[in-house]
Amino acid sequence: MATSRIRRSTAAVLTMAAVATTVLVGQAVADEDRPATAPAHAPAATAEASARSERVPRIAAAWHSAWTGEDPNALAGLFTKDGTLVDLSVPYTSRGRAEITEFKAITERLIPDADLEITDAFRSGDRVVIRTDYSGTLPGASKPFKVQMASVLELRHGKIAVNTDYYDRATMLRQSGLPADWRPPT
């Protein structure tokens, strides 16, 4: 019985050490990826936005710019040639830069006022997690939606190999005033 408790205690200590190491390594990688800090004389709102942008890894900032920009090729250019973009809520998977460009263009046509606001982002090794507020108006909707979204980027040689998006489609549709079985027009 004492041996069993020792094994569980040892396992718990090793697990906590692994988590702490992951957090510290992730913080060190994130620190390497941060731009210079905002000047001390910046207004409070600007300082807050600047502080948030300092925590955003460069690839996450580029991903955000590409998603909110008008050039669908900009997003695809962040991916490896065989990169994959997975939207689990639709669900839809784009493989390769051409399909990723097409998915971005379809999204722009479907939700012309789509917006992503980064609320948090961090990098740990070759993984980046981006939390955003995703908003816009779906076709036929009586009102816009705003849902939280998490995007996980898996990097290979500084490019996105896999981008997986997670958000609550049911909440999006409910906020939009659309039925749960709504499908985008073809």
Side-chain angles (χ1 to χ4, degrees):
M1 183 127 166
T3 305
S4 176
R5 267 191 238 141
I6 291 171
R7 285 185 188 144
R8 281 195 304 259
S9 295
T10 302
V13 168
L14 291 174
T15 300
M16 290 184 340
V19 168
T21 301
T22 300
V23 168
L24 291 173
V25 168
Q27 184 62 45
V29 170
D31 287 344
E32 293 173 2
D33 210 19
R34 291 183 182 171
T37 59
H41 62 279
T46 305
E48 182 180 321
S50 178
R52 188 171 44 243
S53 71
E54 290 173 19
R55 293 187 304 260
V56 175
R58 275 182 247 148
I59 189 70
W63 173 92
H64 177 261
S65 293
W67 263 116
T68 57
E70 295 181 15
D71 178 10
N73 292 309
L75 180 64
L78 297 174
F79 283 77
T80 59
K81 288 180 185 178
D82 62 343
T84 303
L85 190 154
V86 181
D87 185 327
L88 291 174
S89 296
V90 172
Y92 189 82
T93 299
S94 304
R95 290 182 177 83
R97 290 180 180 157
E99 287 185 18
I100 292 166
T101 298
E102 181 182 352
F103 183 73
K104 167 70 164 105
I106 290 168
T107 302
E108 285 180 4
R109 283 193 305 273
L110 186 65
I111 313 170
D113 64 340
D115 191 37
L116 293 172
E117 180 184 335
I118 294 180
T119 58
D120 195 14
F122 68 90
R123 179 175 179 168
S124 180
D126 285 339
R127 294 239 189 325
V128 178
V129 176
I130 309 165
R131 291 187 339 180
T132 60
D133 285 334
Y134 175 34
S135 61
T137 308
L138 294 167
S142 59
K143 49 194 169 181
F145 67 86
K146 183 175 183 179
V147 295
Q148 293 180 345
M149 182 170 85
S151 299
V152 178
L153 310 181
E154 298 173 38
L155 307 179
R156 188 180 331 126
H157 306 295
K159 295 271 191 182
I160 302 169
V162 180
N163 174 157
T164 307
D165 293 335
Y166 304 85
Y167 56 95
D168 186 352
R169 185 173 188 272
T171 299
M172 174 193 280
L173 294 175
R174 187 174 53 256
Q175 288 178 0
S176 298
L178 294 168
D181 63 348
W182 178 88
R183 297 283 178 242
T186 52

